[in-house]
Amino acid sequence: MAMFDPQGLLSPFTVFGRMLVQDLWRTGCEWDEEIDDESFQKWTRWTKVLPMIEEIRIPRSYFGDAVTDQIKDLQLHVVSDASKGAYGCAAYFRAVIGGTVQCVLVTSRVKVAPLKPISVPRLELQAAVLGARIASAVRDGHSLEIRQRFFWTDSTTVLSWIRSDQRKYKEFVGLRIGEILTCTNLSEWRWVPTRMNIADQLTKWTKDPEDEFERAEIWLMRMAQVAAFDDELKILLKNSELPTGQWLEIEKSSLLYKLTPLIDENGLLRMEGRTGPADFLPFDLRFPVILPTDHPVTWKIVQHYHERFGHGYRETVKNELRQRFAIPKLIRGSRISLTGFDLQEEVKRI
């Protein structure tokens, strides 16, 4: 029913088993029934990884033979991350000992995402709250003097929430921002690129093909956005480091000026529209990904939707695209045509 792991050192191993059990609950599988083939494959993959636990060795001392007087400039770094299936955080000590910097894992925590669907930005916020709680627990549970604390997240949305007035948000976000700011200082929060986020191992270590395809899609869309909206991205990234009152404005001549752009936790440009507060709608519909009109990635996506809906009528394809994407000048003034023949000829040029 449980595993004795008070410091959470086995979290990257145990979380996948918990996620598997949750998936079985979703399917309605009874305790005495056979599980489906997909779940069995996941179980088999997990059991093959478990023997690696026997190879783990944990030293009794954080910094070997170093005594307390030799530990200088002790810092606490808490890194948080989330995915659709789980969210968690990891805490590390960083110290200078004998002129050499040493880093060591202190503890980690990971929780399975709730059965009720919740957006990834909100899960990232949950991970940030968990990180703030862990930092307080580490401070209270150690006699070592922590001189500085740093909290790292790859979610620009969470950083934007933390830097804004919590009263403007709904209860779910507002209460959690309040707890974060009660336990931490705004100046302690930092942004880290996703590829450098060590807490990623807590939430995405399984490397399912479907996770992998999603990452590839995100990478391609970011590549298209950087090529077309480089100046706008720089402004938005700069704003993520500034208080709301000091935000820089996007040039009025930009195609993004009227789209109220924001950057999500994956570094993607999204449009914030009137449907943003409608929590009951899918996240992509409320905050569609902005794509440049004249880019090969956009053409490929349009072609995919055109073929997916059986070379349907132009309005059909356009409406389906709008469920996920915001493409300026999709029809008029663009090189993309939603008639089958023109589109196929255009894609051949890529």
Side-chain angles (χ1 to χ4, degrees), residues 138-347:
V138 171
R139 178 198 59 200
D140 297 340
H142 292 77
S143 59
L144 297 172
E145 180 185 358
I146 301 173
R147 301 194 59 176
Q148 283 184 294
R149 299 188 307 177
F150 297 90
F151 296 87
W152 302 89
T153 176
D154 58 12
S155 173
T156 54
T157 303
V158 170
L159 292 176
S160 176
W161 282 339
I162 295 174
R163 293 189 174 103
S164 303
D165 185 356
Q166 66 192 73
R167 294 171 295 182
K168 64 185 275 191
Y169 297 108
K170 290 188 175 181
E171 187 176 17
F172 183 97
V173 176
L175 291 177
R176 284 158 179 80
I177 294 175
E179 181 176 352
I180 290 173
L181 295 179
T182 299
C183 302
T184 69
N185 297 320
L186 181 59
S187 59
E188 295 176 322
W189 286 89
R190 301 286 192 278
W191 179 77
V192 60
T194 300
R195 66 181 181 276
M196 299 176 63
N197 190 343
I198 190 63
D200 185 82
Q201 298 296 319
L202 293 172
T203 61
K204 306 183 183 73
W205 72 277
T206 56
K207 304 297 183 185
D208 286 336
E210 183 180 351
D211 294 345
E212 291 301 300
F213 284 128
E214 183 179 357
R215 289 190 180 194
E217 182 185 50
I218 290 172
W219 186 88
L220 288 171
M221 291 190 294
R222 286 180 59 185
M223 179 182 68
Q225 291 177 343
V226 169
F229 309 122
D230 185 51
D231 293 336
E232 292 87 343
L233 281 167
K234 290 178 180 178
I235 291 175
L236 293 173
L237 288 173
K238 183 67 175 178
N239 288 345
S240 67
E241 302 173 356
L242 299 173
T244 307
Q246 301 179 18
W247 280 5
L248 305 175
E249 292 188 359
I250 294 176
E251 294 291 336
K252 292 185 178 180
S253 59
S254 171
L255 290 174
L256 305 187
Y257 179 75
K258 296 182 179 181
L259 299 184
T260 319
L262 56 83
I263 300 179
D264 69 6
E265 70 280 356
N266 293 312
L268 284 176
L269 274 171
R270 291 181 178 270
M271 181 181 75
E272 184 176 14
R274 291 176 295 179
T275 58
D279 295 339
F280 57 90
L281 294 176
F283 183 76
D284 284 339
L285 180 60
R286 294 160 51 207
F287 302 97
V289 176
I290 301 173
L291 290 178
T293 306
D294 295 326
H295 194 278
V297 171
T298 308
W299 302 339
K300 282 290 189 182
I301 290 175
V302 174
Q303 182 192 27
H304 169 71
Y305 272 75
H306 186 69
E307 295 174 352
R308 176 182 173 186
F309 292 97
H311 306 284
Y313 183 61
R314 181 175 67 178
E315 293 301 318
T316 300
V317 180
K318 184 170 65 174
N319 290 334
E320 292 299 330
L321 283 166
R322 285 176 174 170
Q323 303 300 308
R324 285 197 63 198
F325 306 104
I327 307 176
K329 300 181 180 179
L330 176 61
I331 304 300
R332 256 185 321 187
S334 75
R335 298 171 63 186
I336 297 180
S337 172
L338 294 184
T339 60
F341 177 80
D342 291 343
L343 177 62
Q344 291 173 11
E345 291 299 315
E346 191 66 46
V347 171

Side-chain angles (χ1 to χ4, degrees), residues 3 5 10-19 46 50 110 205:
M3 181 175 290
D5 184 25
L10 300 181
S11 294
F13 295 93
T14 59
V15 65
F16 186 60
R18 293 157 58 189
M19 293 169 64
W46 184 50
L50 289 179
V110 62
W205 72 277

Side-chain angles (χ1 to χ4, degrees), residues 1-29:
M1 295 298 293
M3 181 175 290
F4 183 73
D5 184 25
Q7 289 184 263
L9 302 179
L10 300 181
S11 294
F13 295 93
T14 59
V15 65
F16 186 60
R18 293 157 58 189
M19 293 169 64
L20 178 58
V21 172
Q22 188 183 66
D23 288 341
L24 291 174
W25 287 343
R26 286 194 180 97
T27 64
C29 181

